[in-house]
């Protein structure tokens, strides 16, 4: 599970790169009739909710269990920073 969302716990530029790619994929599917939800309607707030409800708790668990050694601290730090930066810049991206 952590590997599916690893970009959210890496440097801001990495997060934005993969976040934009996911958005474009969902947008393309929606325009082609293969998706029922327009990703534009809740993308900004949805990312904040995803960080609060899944990413930050996951990063905390990875840190606590120590499976990645000292990198667990880094994952949590990047998750917190990315969430903050998203609240500041996400609506413009």
């Amino acid at each position: 599970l952590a590997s599916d969302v690893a970009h959210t716990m890496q440097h801001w530029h990495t997060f934005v790169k993969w976040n934009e790619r996911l958005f474009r994929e969902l947008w393309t599917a929606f325009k082609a009739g293969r998706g029922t939800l327009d990703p534009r309607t809740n993308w900004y707030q949805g990312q904040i909710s995803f960080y609060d409800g899944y990413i930050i708790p996951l990063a905390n668990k990875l840190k606590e269990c120590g499976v990645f050694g000292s990198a667990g601290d880094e994952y949590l730090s990047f998750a917190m920073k990315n969430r903050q930066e998203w609240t500041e810049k996400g609506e413009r991206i």
Side-chain angles (χ1 to χ4, degrees):
L1 293 172
S3 63
D4 290 341
V5 294
H7 69 284
T8 62
M9 296 178 274
Q10 295 178 22
H11 191 273
W12 170 253
H13 298 292
T14 301
F15 164 67
V16 170
K17 172 184 171 180
W18 291 103
N19 186 276
E20 287 176 342
R21 288 180 181 190
L22 176 60
F23 180 87
R24 283 195 305 264
E25 180 181 335
L26 294 171
W27 173 243
T28 299
F30 175 73
K31 288 191 312 184
R34 295 188 313 270
T36 57
L37 297 174
D38 182 343
R40 298 174 300 174
T41 58
N42 194 35
W43 193 257
Y44 170 75
Q45 186 59 47
Q47 293 300 299
I48 294 170
S49 298
F50 188 52
Y51 266 97
D52 291 346
Y54 187 76
I55 298 304
I56 292 172
L58 174 62
N60 269 314
K61 288 177 186 174
L62 293 173
K63 177 184 173 186
E64 289 171 9
C65 77
V67 70
F68 293 109
S70 63
D73 292 324
E74 188 174 295
Y75 298 149
L76 179 57
S77 176
F78 275 127
M80 300 293 287
K81 288 176 185 175
N82 286 344
R83 190 229 184 259
Q84 179 60 40
E85 200 152 355
W86 181 259
T87 62
E88 296 168 4
K89 300 177 183 176
E91 286 186 296
R92 295 186 306 267
I93 294 178

